[in-house]
Amino acid sequence: MSCIDEEILGAFVEGTLDAERRREVMEHLDTCEACTIAAGMAAEALREEAPAVVKPSSRAWWFAAAAVLATILLGIALLRPSSPMQKLVAAVPADRREVEARLSGGFAWAEFRGPARDESPTKSDPSRLKLQGAAGDVLARAAKDSSRETKHAAGIALMLVDDAPKSIETLRAIASDDAKIWSDLAAAHFATGRASQYPQALAAADRALSIDARLPEALFNRALVLERMGLLAEARKAWQRYLEIDPSSPWANEARAHLARLNAEHSSFEHDLPRLSALELVAKYPQQARTWGEGPFLAEWAERGDAKKLTLARDIGDALAKRSNETLLRDAVAAIDHAADSRALVEGHLAYRDGRIAYSRRDLAKAVTELAHAADALSRGGSPMALAARYFAANVVYDLNRPEDAFEQLTSLLATTPSSYRALRAQMFWQRALCSSTLSHWSEAVADAEQARATFESLGEDSNRAFVDVIIAEALEASEEIDRAWERRASAFEIFSRDG
């Protein structure tokens, strides 16, 4: 609560405030020496100066109170030096924001253009020098004054001059039950630019909101952190919540810009399937086009003799080969086209479908049987999809808690899988990385996962890349490379959120 104006303080001295407002004023007087002095001086002056014929409840008495209080408060305001936080607020540049998060203390909105370290040298920037001077004064004062107000300002000053780690240390020491300090602590963690600090920033913002659920600074910072972590669905809700509290300030305009970006529509493969050509599907949905072609489309041909689905699979296979030299689907359709007798291929594709469904439902016993059947039948029919069936069979072995055996099977498969079956090889490296992680072979896990990730990235298969990023993050964290781990997690979260 800011200092009490003369009308309210006059009514307080007069005794005409309601109970709730009187409680608020008394709480403020407990912490504000200036207002306490003003109230005492006003009461004494009014007792001495008010005529005996004027009753305390009269308007003349009230006007006398207002006049005296206005004079007293104006004098105190003129004599009292600016607070440390006010010095910082007055010193920040008006045309740009030094910290992306929102700080407490009355800092006005300005555009954030990136941290000062990325701009031109500060010696040529008078506004930056002014801010550094004010920050230096505040820090010097904090060295002598251990009050929470001064230490809070010191934490902000450190953030403004790009020393977020010391800001964190300063603010954490005084946070206690102050929502604004917890919110500023979230801003400091965020300002480090280190991915491993974002969970800490989120925790600090949540702590602030547990104390004051309507604090705009904390709501803004929480939404910003969630978005940076890639938790887009939660970030969308957080920006909406912020706008419920602050619908009209310049900060609200920035919140709306974030929300508009997050709300951008993302069409789906199923929605576009009947409307786009195979080339367009592969360009827009490379992963979905490939997996639907290798799985459901060929299974529908096998089950119902669906010539349209076979044609679509053929066109997608040709587009994948042309676009990214990914040839498994093209070769699988060619095996069907050139088969003198397609019965083995029909049998194999149906067993492959049933094995994949059983595996997705964690019916591992059935999955083992069906995938082995598929590998045998597809091999007899000359289809390279036999390799895919054996890959998923190795996955089942891993899920049966036999990572060493699964690793050996995958290594053997990699030796016999053509280099142009790029996505399948990447999946094999992915699964082998899981085996290594389970066995605590962290460097081997990272090496295989990075190879899988690079392939998925070049193929445009973002969802698969995200899953691999999670594996890499876990291995990096086990190797105590925390920042790199959280960078990979944040990348994965964004893709998972976007894809639902």
Side-chain angles (χ1 to χ4, degrees), residues 84-273:
M85 193 72 79
Q86 289 172 333
K87 284 186 177 181
L88 294 175
V89 170
V92 294
D95 62 341
R96 67 177 184 273
R97 192 155 95 238
E98 300 294 317
V99 176
E100 186 173 6
R102 183 172 177 180
L103 302 176
S104 68
F107 291 88
W109 179 88
E111 182 183 359
F112 178 69
R113 303 177 185 175
R117 59 177 175 273
D118 293 338
E119 298 179 357
S120 57
T122 57
K123 65 182 180 181
S124 62
D125 186 349
S127 63
R128 183 68 181 168
L129 289 173
K130 177 183 176 183
L131 175 58
Q132 288 179 324
D137 289 344
V138 169
L139 293 172
R141 180 168 173 177
K144 302 175 182 178
D145 179 358
S146 61
S147 68
R148 179 186 284 193
E149 178 187 10
T150 303
K151 291 295 186 183
H152 186 185
I156 298 291
L158 288 163
M159 215 185 315
L160 292 172
V161 296
D162 198 28
D163 195 347
K166 285 187 179 178
S167 174
I168 292 169
E169 181 181 341
T170 301
L171 294 172
R172 184 171 291 281
I174 59 168
S176 185
D177 58 352
D178 191 312
K180 291 184 177 180
I181 297 177
W182 279 108
S183 178
D184 291 331
L185 181 58
H189 281 294
F190 188 79
T192 64
R194 295 174 54 191
S196 63
Q197 292 294 303
Y198 297 153
Q200 303 274 11
L202 180 60
D206 283 341
R207 180 67 179 273
L209 292 170
S210 73
I211 299 169
D212 183 353
R214 297 175 62 85
L215 183 64
E217 293 89 346
L219 290 167
F220 187 96
N221 294 343
R222 184 175 189 273
L224 197 64
V225 173
L226 286 166
E227 186 173 340
R228 185 64 59 84
M229 290 178 72
L231 297 169
L232 305 188
E234 292 303 314
R236 188 179 299 110
K237 296 176 186 176
W239 287 121
Q240 290 168 340
R241 172 59 179 159
Y242 177 84
L243 289 169
E244 292 173 5
I245 301 301
D246 172 20
S248 59
S249 77
W251 294 99
N253 294 335
E254 183 171 327
R256 285 191 185 89
H258 282 277
L259 191 57
R261 187 183 74 82
L262 294 175
N263 282 336
E265 290 187 4
H266 296 285
S267 54
S268 67
F269 178 77
E270 295 93 325
H271 178 263
D272 283 340
L273 181 58

Side-chain angles (χ1 to χ4, degrees), residues 90 132 169 184 226 229 247 285 330 337 372 386 401 418 433 479 494:
Q132 288 179 324
E169 181 181 341
D184 291 331
L226 286 166
M229 290 178 72
Y285 307 102
R330 184 194 67 182
D337 290 340
N401 200 27
S479 302
E494 181 171 357

